[in-house]
Amino acid sequence: MSKVKDSIPRAAIHVGVPAKSFAAAEGYEPERRGWEEKTYRIKNKDTNNHYDFSRKHLNFEINGKGEIVPLCSNPVPLHERIKQRLDQLGFKPYKDKCDPSSNSDNSPNCTVGIIVSGDHQVLTRLAFDDQEVDFSLQKSNAHVVLKQGIREWAMDTYQWACHRWGAENVIAFDVHLDETTPHIHIQTIPVAKVKTRGRASVKYVHKNDKSKLLSHKEWKKLPEDVRNDFKKTVVERREKECVSYARVWGENKYAVGHTYHQMHTDYYNEVGSKYGLERGEDISMLPAEEQRGRIHKNKAILEAERQAKEVIAKSEADKEQLTIQKSSLEDEVRQTLQKKEFLDSKITLLMNYADKLNIKKEDLNVPALKTIEIVADAIKAINGELDIAVPTFRQKEWRAMRKSAIKSILTNMQDEIFKTQELKEKEILELGRSIYKSAIKKTSELIKQNKMLHAENDSKQKENEELKAENDKLRMRISMMDENAISNLRNQKNNEIQGLQNKLTESIRTASYYEVMAEREKKRADNAEGLINDVFSIPKIKEIWNIQQNIRNFERQLTTWINNALDAIMAFARLHLSIFTPEQEKHIAYGILAEAVRCNLDPTVEIQRKEAAHSLLDKMDWTGTGITEGMYNLASLRTRQLCEEMTVAKELVKELYLMAGGRGGIGSCGGDSNGELTNWDGTKKRTGWGVS
């Protein structure tokens, strides 16, 4: 396996051996129930354990309501919670004939424990971010604060587990932050839906009257000619939940292996990919030696391997840093060579000046700086130091020795260059003196040339004064033209102002006319209002008007309830909740009632109320929302469960249909802050429209 593949952060899911029973002591470790500092010390005597008491306060769990609470917040121990759920499902283990107090070896498996973890670097960054955490148990980590990232990862894993095994079958969901790598303990009960025992019941329905329903015995007693009027129907057996490891995990080892493989894929698609954790490796695809290594390694060996990897990574970083330093030294040498080239170019420039000043080339024969050999020797010595291999141990001393040697080489090179530079500066100074003498002669010639140039400048100055006089004349002419232009512009603006005043006068006349017309229309409106009041003074007309207004208000209220229910279902799915909040339950209950009234269904009848709930769910538009199919199914399931739990009074339905007919008032619900209404008998409705 390549190093690149080893460095990929991955998720890890370990499924424990299915159990036929669950003892009290087995739940104490995942829940840390009764664990004190002394317990941690005793546990750590085993070299395979690595518990940190100073990080115990960071542990948490997610309870059955989908809330994050401190670990061991549930007063009921894990083994009792498992027994309560098994009793609800009617699970009875097989008892041993010889020892009735214990279960038989062939008793069905009733619980499975799963551990979810992943890459150490990824999960510790989610849990602690950049805080300093000591994993060697040498220092206290009481100052460490838990970050939000690990809570989000745990909540997403909880949603995934609930979607896979059912929220009611996830008995414990404990998150441990007091060991080397953050991980989750999930205790589940495998539950599947199976059909009840017995044969499917046979019924006979009359072909013309569906209300006539006979059993097989009743149908046999009828005369032969009457039997033909009945049609045979078969009623399927109903389904029930039961504990079944084989139906959930697989009936044989191949099916169980397929379930494990698909579980890793589903976890990556729903959770792992969101946090940068690749799918866990299939151990069956690894070489035989690697498989044995994975199975027999304990925590101590794994921790030692992790620390060794960190040392190797640090060595690689140090090597890279030394390479950078080598590059920096090479840059310094390159800059020194560039300075030498610059000085050589200066000498060439001086020689050119000397040519112009009639100085002979032999007089400027300055020896070049002999630095190439000095720099080459220094580079060779530095490369020799850097080629020395990095040792596995005592790397700090090795780096100090290399730095000291390289610094000594550079110091010697600098001293040699300075000595050569001082000799050359003396020779250049003597050369400059000879150039100065020649320059004095050349300067006298330049002064003569400058005098001739001054004479030419005087003649050009006279020409400039003449041009200035002509420019003054042109400026005066332009100013006179500007005055004429201003006068013309003033006249034009006066004409425009006069035109605007005329338009204003006309507008005032028009406004007066419209004021008179408005007064007339107001009188006509007053007369019309009086006529309307006279019409509404007739009781029958006023009653019809009030009915129409109430019907409109009632329709608007129904629309408001339905829209609030759709928004509540969408918010539940977006927030990845497991159960509805009380506010969401209220809005969805109103929405089901409103949909039933609008579809002419009776909400007091469970079947018709379910039809209204299905109709409400059909109005949901999930396209473009980015909500997973699992959250969509969970939202639909919770809505149907709420519909089944609702009870609606018949008096309430009568009142609703009275409102729909325009003979009742519309209550303000849905938009109220407390959601309370007043019934027709003066009592307060508990959750809006009598829904409980």
Side-chain angles (χ1 to χ4, degrees):
M1 188 177 298
S2 65
K3 293 183 179 179
V4 176
K5 190 173 181 181
D6 283 338
S7 62
I8 296 175
R10 299 183 183 276
I13 303 177
H14 173 72
V15 181
V17 179
K20 304 179 184 299
S21 62
F22 196 88
E26 293 179 273
Y28 290 159
E29 179 172 353
E31 291 190 306
R32 303 290 192 262
R33 192 174 294 275
W35 279 34
E36 301 297 337
E37 188 173 4
K38 180 180 178 182
T39 311
Y40 276 75
R41 287 198 300 270
I42 295 173
K43 288 285 184 180
N44 286 332
K45 289 182 179 179
D46 184 353
T47 57
N48 196 38
N49 293 334
H50 206 78
Y51 299 102
D52 186 0
F53 178 74
S54 65
R55 281 187 281 146
K56 180 185 177 183
H57 66 284
L58 303 176
N59 296 335
F60 65 89
E61 68 179 82
I62 300 179
N63 59 20
K65 298 180 181 179
E67 301 171 341
I68 295 177
V69 296
L71 189 62
C72 200
S73 295
N74 196 330
V76 182
L78 178 56
H79 69 283
E80 293 185 13
R81 299 203 301 272
I82 292 177
K83 186 177 183 304
Q84 292 174 1
R85 179 56 180 161
L86 293 175
D87 292 340
Q88 291 175 0
L89 297 168
F91 176 78
K92 295 181 180 179
Y94 304 156
K95 296 297 181 181
D96 192 347
K97 293 181 180 180
C98 300
D99 184 11
S101 61
S102 61
N103 297 336
S104 175
D105 292 336
N106 63 347
S107 181
N109 297 317
C110 63
T111 182
V112 180
I114 301 104
I115 298 177
V116 181
S117 186
D119 182 77
H120 176 78
Q121 300 295 337
V122 173
L123 294 183
T124 52
R125 185 176 66 252
L126 290 174
F128 312 119
D129 200 4
D130 56 353
Q131 298 179 90
E132 185 178 357
V133 182
D134 179 44
F135 295 100
S136 63
L137 302 181
Q138 302 299 320
K139 299 179 182 179
S140 174
N141 294 307
H143 65 282
V144 177
V145 179
L146 199 62
K147 298 298 180 180
Q148 184 63 24
I150 199 70
R151 294 190 180 94
E152 295 175 356
W153 170 70
M155 184 58 71
D156 288 342
T157 304
Y158 176 78
Q159 298 289 349
W160 168 78
C162 292
H163 177 259
R164 190 173 189 86
W165 297 294
E168 60 277 5
N169 301 319
V170 177
I171 311 303
F173 191 92
D174 305 323
V175 184
H176 292 170
L177 284 306
D178 58 353
E179 296 183 61
T180 304
T181 301
H183 59 276
I184 300 170
H185 287 263
I186 307 174
Q187 196 67 37
T188 65
I189 293 178
V191 178
K193 288 187 177 181
V194 297
K195 291 185 177 180
T196 55
R197 292 184 177 181
R199 294 178 297 174
S201 61
V202 177
K203 299 291 182 181
Y204 292 84
V205 182
H206 197 277
K207 295 180 181 178
N208 299 325
D209 188 0
K210 302 296 183 182
S211 62
K212 293 181 179 180
L213 187 67
L214 302 178
S215 65
H216 182 73
K217 291 182 179 180
E218 293 172 341
W219 178 77
K220 289 288 288 183
K221 294 178 181 179
L222 295 176
E224 188 67 29
D225 56 342
V226 179
R227 291 182 187 176
N228 296 329
D229 295 334
F230 287 83
K231 182 180 179 181
K232 181 180 178 181
T233 61
V234 179
V235 180
E236 293 290 335
R237 291 177 293 166
R238 66 182 182 86
E239 291 185 340
K240 70 173 184 178
E241 290 185 336
C242 70
V243 178
S244 177
Y245 176 84
R247 286 184 172 87
V248 174
W249 292 95
E251 297 179 353
N252 51 53
K253 64 179 182 179
Y254 303 105
V256 171
H258 177 73
T259 302
Y260 288 175
H261 185 275
Q262 188 61 38
M263 179 177 64
H264 279 80
T265 303
D266 294 341
Y267 184 80
Y268 167 73
N269 293 332
E270 296 182 29
V271 182
S273 58
K274 182 178 178 182
Y275 297 93
L277 293 171
E278 295 295 328
R279 187 191 182 282
E281 292 180 325
D282 189 355
I283 194 171
S284 63
M285 302 298 293
L286 299 174
E289 294 182 1
E290 182 69 11
Q291 290 186 27
R292 289 193 295 272
R294 292 288 182 90
I295 293 171
H296 295 292
K297 287 178 182 177
N298 60 19
K299 290 183 180 178
I301 295 175
L302 291 173
E303 177 64 15
E305 287 182 354
R306 186 184 67 80
Q307 293 179 1
K309 288 180 181 178
E310 289 182 354
V311 171
I312 292 171
K314 187 177 180 181
S315 299
E316 292 291 337
D318 292 341
K319 183 177 179 181
E320 184 178 356
Q321 185 65 27
L322 289 172
T323 304
I324 294 172
Q325 292 179 359
K326 178 181 177 182
S327 177
S328 177
L329 291 172
E330 290 177 351
D331 290 340
E332 291 180 2
V333 173
R334 195 179 300 110
Q335 290 176 3
T336 304
L337 292 174
Q338 289 176 356
K339 288 181 179 179
K340 177 184 174 298
E341 292 176 357
F342 175 74
L343 292 173
D344 291 340
S345 65
K346 287 290 186 182
I347 293 170
T348 304
L349 182 62
L350 289 172
M351 292 176 67
N352 293 332
Y353 285 149
D355 290 337
K356 292 181 180 181
L357 296 173
N358 295 323
I359 297 175
K360 295 180 181 181
K361 187 175 182 180
E362 293 78 16
D363 297 334
L364 298 176
N365 189 13
V366 179
L369 285 172
K370 297 180 181 180
T371 57
I372 296 177
E373 296 179 357
I374 297 172
V375 174
D377 293 338
I379 293 174
K380 184 177 180 180
I382 290 171
N383 289 332
E385 291 293 331
L386 294 178
D387 290 337
I388 297 174
V390 181
T392 305
F393 303 97
R394 303 182 68 180
Q395 295 178 2
K396 187 174 181 181
E397 295 178 4
W398 179 87
R399 287 196 297 270
M401 291 173 64
R402 299 289 78 73
K403 289 181 180 178
S404 177
I406 291 171
K407 184 177 179 181
S408 176
I409 292 168
L410 291 176
T411 302
N412 294 333
M413 181 189 71
Q414 188 177 11
D415 293 337
E416 292 295 330
I417 291 174
F418 283 163
K419 290 178 182 178
T420 306
Q421 189 175 4
E422 288 176 359
L423 293 174
K424 189 165 184 178
E425 285 178 354
K426 291 179 180 179
E427 295 176 355
I428 292 173
L429 182 59
E430 293 176 359
L431 178 63
R433 290 172 181 172
S434 63
I435 293 172
Y436 174 76
K437 294 177 181 179
S438 300
I440 293 297
K441 296 178 181 179
K442 192 67 176 179
T443 304
S444 61
E445 296 177 0
L446 292 175
I447 291 172
K448 293 178 181 179
Q449 294 178 2
N450 287 335
K451 288 181 179 180
M452 294 174 64
L453 291 174
H454 280 300
E456 293 177 0
N457 288 335
D458 291 338
S459 62
K460 289 181 178 180
Q461 186 174 3
K462 291 180 181 179
E463 293 177 0
N464 289 335
E465 289 176 356
E466 293 175 356
L467 291 173
K468 184 178 179 182
E470 291 180 0
N471 287 335
D472 293 337
K473 293 178 181 179
L474 290 172
R475 193 178 293 109
M476 291 178 63
R477 291 178 62 186
I478 290 170
S479 63
M480 292 177 65
M481 292 172 66
D482 289 342
E483 289 179 359
N484 294 332
I486 292 170
S487 177
N488 294 333
L489 183 61
R490 187 182 294 112
N491 294 332
Q492 181 181 354
K493 293 299 179 183
N494 289 335
N495 294 332
E496 289 178 0
I497 291 170
Q498 187 62 36
L500 291 173
Q501 287 179 348
N502 295 335
K503 289 181 180 179
L504 178 61
T505 303
E506 186 66 23
S507 299
I508 292 172
R509 293 199 193 98
T510 305
S512 300
Y513 170 77
Y514 281 118
E515 285 179 359
V516 174
M517 294 298 294
E519 187 66 26
R520 292 179 183 176
E521 291 298 327
K522 183 178 179 182
K523 290 181 180 179
R524 290 177 60 186
D526 293 338
N527 295 333
E529 185 179 358
L531 292 174
I532 291 172
N533 291 334
D534 293 338
V535 170
F536 276 105
S537 63
I538 301 172
K540 189 66 177 176
I541 293 175
K542 187 174 182 181
E543 182 181 359
I544 293 171
W545 172 262
N546 290 335
I547 289 172
Q548 292 177 348
Q549 289 295 109
N550 285 338
I551 290 173
R552 292 191 191 95
N553 294 337
F554 186 78
E555 285 295 327
R556 284 195 293 269
Q557 187 64 62
L558 291 180
T559 302
T560 301
W561 288 342
I562 292 172
N563 291 336
N564 290 343
L566 297 177
D567 293 340
I569 296 172
M570 183 64 72
F572 171 82
R574 286 185 185 278
L575 296 175
H576 295 277
L577 302 176
S578 58
I579 58 173
F580 290 132
T581 63
E583 188 71 12
Q584 290 172 346
E585 286 184 358
K586 181 184 71 173
H587 288 312
I588 295 170
Y590 292 151
I592 294 172
L593 281 178
E595 188 67 18
V597 173
R598 181 163 284 178
C599 297
N600 294 324
L601 298 172
D602 187 358
T604 62
V605 179
E606 184 177 359
I607 296 177
Q608 298 190 27
R609 189 167 66 248
K610 288 181 178 179
E611 291 181 9
H614 285 298
S615 177
L616 181 66
L617 290 172
D618 290 340
K619 295 179 182 293
M620 293 294 301
D621 185 10
W622 302 95
T623 58
T625 59
I627 295 172
T628 61
E629 184 178 358
M631 285 309 304
Y632 159 76
N633 293 334
L634 183 60
S636 302
L637 174 64
R638 290 290 185 257
T639 303
R640 290 193 292 270
Q641 289 176 349
L642 177 61
C643 178
E644 293 174 359
E645 295 171 0
M646 288 172 56
T647 56
V648 183
K650 290 188 177 292
E651 290 79 3
L652 168 65
V653 178
K654 289 181 182 180
E655 183 70 12
L656 287 173
Y657 280 106
L658 283 175
M659 296 179 192
R663 295 185 295 277
I666 300 298
S668 61
C669 80
D672 245 351
S673 61
N674 54 11
E676 293 188 352
L677 298 172
T678 303
N679 288 318
W680 48 89
D681 58 355
T683 60
K684 293 287 185 181
K685 293 182 174 62
R686 188 162 64 87
T687 57
W689 284 100
V691 183
S692 62

